[in-house]
Amino acid sequence: MKLLELALLVVICSISAARSARGGAPDTLIPFIIIPCSTGSRLEARLTNKPSAYAWCPRNSDGWFNLYVPQPEEIVPPHVYCVGENLKMFYNETSGVYDNFPGVEVRVPDYGNTTAVEYLTPPDKTPLYHDLINMLVSLGYERGVNLRAAPYDWRLGANGFNASFAQLQALVEETYAINNNTRVVLHSFSLGGPYIHLFLTDFVSQAWKDKYIQRLISISGAFSGSTIAIMASLFERSANLPWYVPKELVTTMIESLGEAYWMLPDSSLFGDEVFLTTPDRNYTTYDFVQMYVDAKRPVPAAMVEAMLPYKSAVTPPGVDIVCVYGYNVSTPVLVVTNTSLTDPKAGYSVINGDGDNCVMRRGLELCDTWAGLQPQPAKSMPIANMQHGDGLYNPLALRLVLQTLGL
């Protein structure tokens, strides 16, 4: 038996024992909506007369096909070039609109159901939320009724989510209605944290939140951004890439995505703290636009500037929230380069601090800040040595989810 399966079995058995001790399951299961992480929503694409720099890449497709996590035959050359090209976006500096690569349509399939988050490669490969969902189903939940998901196009930046926020609002209201007007629990992971935080602080009213939302459970919430965003968007990526994946292809694709700039460290929390040191100057959170100007990257500079009004991590969400996160794991806090930012091959080194290996601890502890800024409860649940990506599988984190649901 795999370690993860054993952990899930232990959690389910302990919850079942607790149920028996208190007289069985609750009469009503609290509706549960998953807000996934970056790359945690399955994306589909359709091609129509697509121009390509690569002669072997298809110009047309028979219909919709899985975009982000490729089928096994697509992860080797030459198909990897086609995948990177299809994922690429173009940002219109005048209108602030994100466009897909010409000839490429992108959609999130089966919105509201769990299919777009259980497996990233259908029908049953690259599992993500499958184990959590199966655990809830084993305890009485029903997919599409009181167990739902709100996937989104994670390539966008904070200024590109209005359409998906409207979908999310409608999904919450529908889920509330079909479950006897029972308020909903939201479950976010990683990038899903800032995504749902932006929805709660900028898109819906306090009256709406009071009516429809019972609680938000944040797992490894990247509310304050990450130093890794600087590394990913400013320097050539080479870590964790198979030998046959061109670094330039990945770097160019990442540079085109609004997400990369939305996840820069948040100025409302970190202020004038330095995150990049070069031979010429230091860059704080207030200097990120200039950082890309100095790197001769005007489009990223425009994206960063457009998202400045959305950098408000310290604003409380206005709902009951529990933040589950790891700490005591080495995490990048400062990037240092000894070469010019205009050098496409510029190298860098990293100074680490405390966090979950992706998000710095100060950002993970935002629940403690919010506790003093809102009347609703805000509670931190730190788990020592839990890495960022383990929050969906950690037994303590899973137990907390079930306890929140009264199971």
Side-chain angles (χ1 to χ4, degrees):
M1 181 178 290
K2 295 179 181 178
L3 181 61
L4 173 57
E5 293 172 345
L6 178 61
L8 291 173
L9 181 61
V10 169
V11 171
I12 291 172
C13 288
S14 64
I15 293 298
S16 297
R19 270 187 178 185
S20 299
R22 64 174 180 258
D27 293 334
T28 302
L29 293 172
I30 302 171
F32 189 81
I33 297 179
I34 293 169
I35 315 294
C37 56
S38 172
T39 72
S41 302
R42 186 160 60 85
L43 302 179
E44 292 183 338
R46 182 168 62 184
L47 309 181
T48 306
N49 297 323
K50 173 202 160 190
S52 178
Y54 312 108
W56 56 85
C57 289
R59 298 183 66 248
N60 295 281
S61 62
D62 293 334
W64 295 94
F65 62 92
N66 203 49
L67 173 60
Y68 168 60
V69 178
Q71 301 294 339
E73 66 270 15
E74 292 180 316
I75 64 174
V76 296
H79 299 292
V80 66
Y81 289 88
C82 313
V83 175
E85 198 173 60
N86 292 340
L87 279 168
K88 191 174 181 180
M89 302 200 82
F90 292 90
Y91 181 72
N92 187 312
E93 299 173 54
T94 303
S95 65
V97 172
Y98 297 87
D99 291 317
N100 294 312
F101 194 90
V104 179
E105 297 174 77
V106 176
R107 72 178 185 184
V108 177
D110 206 15
Y111 189 85
N113 291 310
T114 60
T115 50
V117 301
E118 288 196 57
Y119 292 97
L120 298 184
T121 303
D124 58 0
K125 296 179 181 178
T126 324
L128 184 60
Y129 286 89
H130 175 71
D131 295 300
L132 172 63
I133 290 168
N134 263 5
M135 181 177 67
L136 292 173
V137 169
S138 73
L139 296 170
Y141 273 82
E142 183 178 352
R143 290 176 175 88
V145 179
N146 51 16
L147 177 54
R148 314 192 75 181
Y152 56 93
D153 189 340
W154 39 264
R155 301 174 303 158
L156 301 171
N159 55 336
F161 287 129
N162 275 353
S164 68
F165 282 168
Q167 281 185 297
L168 175 56
Q169 181 175 4
L171 177 66
V172 170
E173 293 172 2
E174 178 188 72
T175 305
Y176 169 90
I178 65 177
N179 287 278
N180 300 313
N181 294 343
T182 304
R183 291 191 300 159
V184 170
V185 166
L186 303 172
H187 177 283
S188 68
F189 175 50
S190 189
L191 182 72
Y195 175 84
I196 193 63
H197 178 266
L198 185 61
F199 171 79
L200 293 170
T201 56
D202 280 34
F203 197 79
V204 293
S205 68
Q206 187 61 52
W208 187 92
K209 290 182 280 190
D210 293 342
K211 179 176 180 178
Y212 291 106
I213 306 300
Q214 179 174 128
R215 174 174 287 180
L216 168 59
I217 305 172
S218 164
I219 309 295
S220 304
F223 300 104
S224 65
S226 171
T227 307
I228 292 174
I230 298 174
M231 299 154 57
S233 64
L234 202 57
F235 298 97
E236 185 175 81
R237 294 304 303 270
S238 58
N240 302 319
L241 291 178
W243 64 268
Y244 52 78
V245 177
K247 293 182 288 186
E248 297 82 1
L249 177 73
V250 175
T251 300
T252 301
M253 187 271 291
I254 291 176
E255 284 180 349
S256 76
L257 307 184
E259 176 205 354
Y261 310 102
W262 182 29
M263 284 295 97
L264 291 167
D266 193 291
S267 57
S268 72
L269 178 65
F270 294 110
D272 58 4
E273 187 168 329
V274 174
F275 283 94
L276 174 65
T277 295
T278 75
D280 300 318
R281 62 170 294 178
N282 294 327
Y283 295 90
T284 73
T285 64
Y286 299 128
D287 304 317
F288 286 150
V289 174
Q290 188 61 46
M291 181 174 73
Y292 291 100
V293 170
D294 292 346
K296 308 298 184 189
R297 301 184 187 182
V299 175
M303 282 195 269
V304 174
E305 187 167 22
M307 283 185 270
L308 289 177
Y310 303 93
K311 304 298 282 186
S312 56
V314 297
T315 303
V319 298
D320 182 335
I321 180 170
V322 174
C323 297
V324 183
Y325 59 87
Y327 70 96
N328 199 35
V329 183
S330 183
T331 304
V333 298
L334 175 66
V335 180
V336 179
T337 182
N338 294 319
T339 56
S340 168
L341 293 181
T342 59
D343 181 356
K345 303 292 185 181
Y348 64 91
S349 59
V350 174
I351 295 176
N352 292 310
D354 195 6
D356 67 2
N357 86 340
C358 178
V359 181
M360 292 165 284
R361 186 166 180 174
R362 282 177 58 196
L364 293 164
E365 293 175 336
L366 269 169
C367 256
D368 297 331
T369 301
W370 294 333
L373 298 175
Q374 67 174 32
Q376 299 84 4
K379 183 178 181 181
S380 287
M381 296 290 291
I383 299 175
N385 306 317
M386 184 178 80
Q387 296 195 26
H388 186 79
D390 293 342
L392 291 182
Y393 317 110
N394 182 281
L396 290 176
L398 290 170
R399 184 184 297 275
L400 175 64
V401 171
L402 298 180
Q403 288 175 345
T404 299
L405 295 172
L407 298 171

